[in-house]
Amino acid sequence: MKTIDALLAEGVAGKRVFVRADLNVPLDGTMITDDGRIRAVLPTVKALADAGARVVVASHLGRPKGAPDPAFSLAPAASRLGELLGGAVAFASDTVGESATTTVAGLGDGDVAVIENLRFNPGETSKDDAERAAFADQLAALADVYVGDGFGAVHRKHASVFDLPARLPHYAGYLIATEVGVLKKLTEDVKRPYVVALGGAKVSDKLAVIDELLGKADRILIGGGMAYTFLKAKGYEVGVSLLQEDQVPAVQEYLERAEKSGVELVLPVDVLVAPEFPDLKTKAPANPTTVAADAVPADQQGLDIGPETRKLYASKLADAATVFWNGPMGVFEHPDYAEGTKAVAQALLDSPGFTVVGGGDSAAAVRILGFDEKAFGHISTGGGASLEYLEGKTLPGLAALED
């Protein structure tokens, strides 16, 4: 795929450049609680604006149902983008209507605009090729060139991600070029030991990547809510912990495969439990207790890995040459259940190898828990996209950028 450097070499002054970004930031009302994804697209937007392009930034936010919804407006993201760029950013209150047309027409060389949430139009996410194509045609009318830089959306076959690049000269932005380069380090000529730490709530979200990694990783560390399905598969009592009973047979098969293939599949040896899920708003003390992983009381639920597991996982990461981490080890949003996730993050920092934080909640945890982002090898902006790449899937948004 051609990158933005090739576009800049050709010259962009006066051209309308459509940048498909990922501004899908978490909001508390209209307050952005983590602007990492906005900052990630800054290098691309700034380079284009500095070169005299008329930059049209587009993105989705949340899951509106194909119609305008103020709760999912991109207005706060547009405002924050302007603050980070150090200049005014115009905002269109629709996607392809009068406001978008007028806003884009009013751009001068070096100006930047953000159009409203793409998912306010049903054509963006439609499974009907014709409806998606019609929306892509309308978007194409706003621009002369397309730059794909929304890595967090490249695994979606959406109009702005998949159909629009076919209608315009297309290039990969700096973020996508970086993300793909990093993922190649995790899939091609990997330096070993290669250790993967997987957490998060649902084991079903990770089964496909575990299936692929069983033939590639040297060790796989399991934490988060998904760990209790693994512990159940070993015959342990997990109380009222998060459990996907229907996935137990698949997990048992993976445990057997890991043993046969010589991959260390490491499970918690102790966990923090409590009778109730903690209050994440007040963060009132939860007073958890620590129990062995095979001794969770019937009326308790596991909410974080325990102190012995933290030490174990740190030791398994200590000599890693390559590390990929996706998913928190517990309910890190509450201080009483953040230590497991902190321990894994710190182990990545202490590791001598190339460390990748695989987007989503892991990336949020790094920032929320106060770690220096620059100390990690790479923090991805796309958890789902990263996982699907590691699964060996073809990602529509990357395929569309290829020549």
Side-chain angles (χ1 to χ4, degrees):
M1 63 180 71
K2 290 188 293 186
T3 69
I4 187 175
D5 284 332
L7 172 60
L8 292 170
E10 295 168 10
V12 293
K15 291 183 178 179
R16 300 169 302 163
V17 181
F18 187 103
V19 177
R20 199 337 178 157
D22 179 7
L23 308 181
N24 185 28
V25 292
L27 295 172
D28 183 0
T30 59
M31 182 74 66
I32 296 171
T33 58
D34 181 359
D35 67 356
R37 283 177 169 165
I38 301 175
R39 288 185 285 111
V41 79
L42 275 180
T44 291
V45 174
K46 190 173 187 309
L48 290 167
D50 287 349
R54 303 177 180 195
V55 187
V56 182
V57 181
S59 176
H60 69 287
L61 192 153
R63 296 180 182 274
K65 302 185 183 301
D69 183 339
F72 297 107
S73 175
L74 277 174
S79 177
R80 181 59 178 151
L81 179 61
E83 291 173 359
L84 293 169
L85 288 171
V89 167
F91 180 67
S93 58
D94 56 26
T95 56
V96 291
E98 182 179 350
S99 180
T101 302
T102 302
T103 300
V104 173
L107 293 176
D109 293 0
D111 288 346
V112 179
V114 174
I115 63 174
E116 186 55 284
N117 192 335
L118 292 163
R119 291 185 183 175
F120 285 0
N121 190 304
E124 170 67 1
T125 59
S126 177
K127 289 182 169 53
D128 181 88
D129 291 347
E131 184 178 15
R132 227 176 38 249
F135 184 48
D137 287 340
Q138 291 177 295
L139 291 172
L142 298 174
D144 305 303
V145 181
Y146 177 93
V147 172
D149 214 29
F151 181 73
V154 294
H155 57 314
R156 306 295 187 191
K157 193 176 181 180
H158 291 170
S160 66
V161 176
F162 179 73
D163 301 89
L164 182 55
R167 289 158 169 76
L168 295 169
H170 47 267
Y171 303 81
Y174 289 128
L175 176 60
I176 279 187
T178 298
E179 294 272 15
V180 171
V182 166
L183 288 168
K184 285 183 177 179
K185 290 185 179 181
L186 300 178
T187 54
E188 303 172 11
D189 194 26
V190 181
K191 293 183 179 179
R192 298 184 180 281
Y194 178 20
V195 185
V196 177
L198 295 176
K202 294 182 179 179
V203 70
S204 56
D205 292 341
K206 303 292 197 308
L207 283 181
V209 75
I210 293 172
D211 182 62
E212 188 72 16
L213 289 170
L214 280 174
K216 295 180 178 177
D218 297 297
R219 300 173 200 139
I220 302 175
L221 318 180
I222 303 294
M226 62 183 282
Y228 302 99
T229 302
F230 276 86
L231 295 173
K232 184 71 171 181
K234 289 181 69 71
Y236 296 169
E237 170 62 57
V238 297
V240 291
S241 304
L242 187 63
L243 174 66
Q244 288 186 284
E245 191 83 47
D246 62 322
Q247 300 297 330
V248 168
V251 169
Q252 288 173 328
E253 179 189 338
Y254 285 0
L255 288 169
E256 293 170 6
R257 278 180 54 197
E259 188 173 356
K260 289 177 182 177
S261 62
V263 175
E264 282 189 78
L265 210 163
V266 189
L267 302 180
V269 295
D270 62 347
V271 295
L272 268 62
V273 299
E276 297 179 348
F277 196 84
D279 188 324
L280 300 183
K281 286 193 174 181
T282 66
K283 294 183 171 53
N287 301 315
T289 55
T290 302
V291 300
D294 61 353
V296 176
D299 62 345
Q300 305 270 309
Q301 58 184 303
L303 296 163
D304 194 13
I305 57 174
E308 293 305 314
T309 304
R310 292 173 220 152
K311 294 177 188 175
L312 173 65
Y313 285 11
S315 71
K316 296 295 183 181
L317 290 161
D319 66 343
T322 305
V323 182
F324 175 72
W325 171 34
N326 181 282
M329 296 292 107
V331 186
F332 73 91
E333 300 92 340
H334 191 285
D336 287 350
Y337 302 107
E339 293 305 315
T341 301
K342 281 184 183 177
V344 169
Q346 186 62 52
L348 261 70
L349 292 183
D350 296 339
S351 169
F354 179 62
T355 56
V356 179
V357 180
D361 287 340
S362 309
V366 163
R367 289 187 277 268
I368 290 170
L369 297 176
F371 288 93
D372 180 2
E373 295 177 62
K374 295 178 182 177
F376 297 87
H378 179 69
I379 297 181
S380 179
T381 57
S386 295
L387 288 176
E388 290 198 16
Y389 190 100
L390 294 181
E391 290 168 21
K393 291 183 176 180
T394 297
L395 305 188
L398 296 185
L401 293 175
E402 294 174 355
D403 297 320

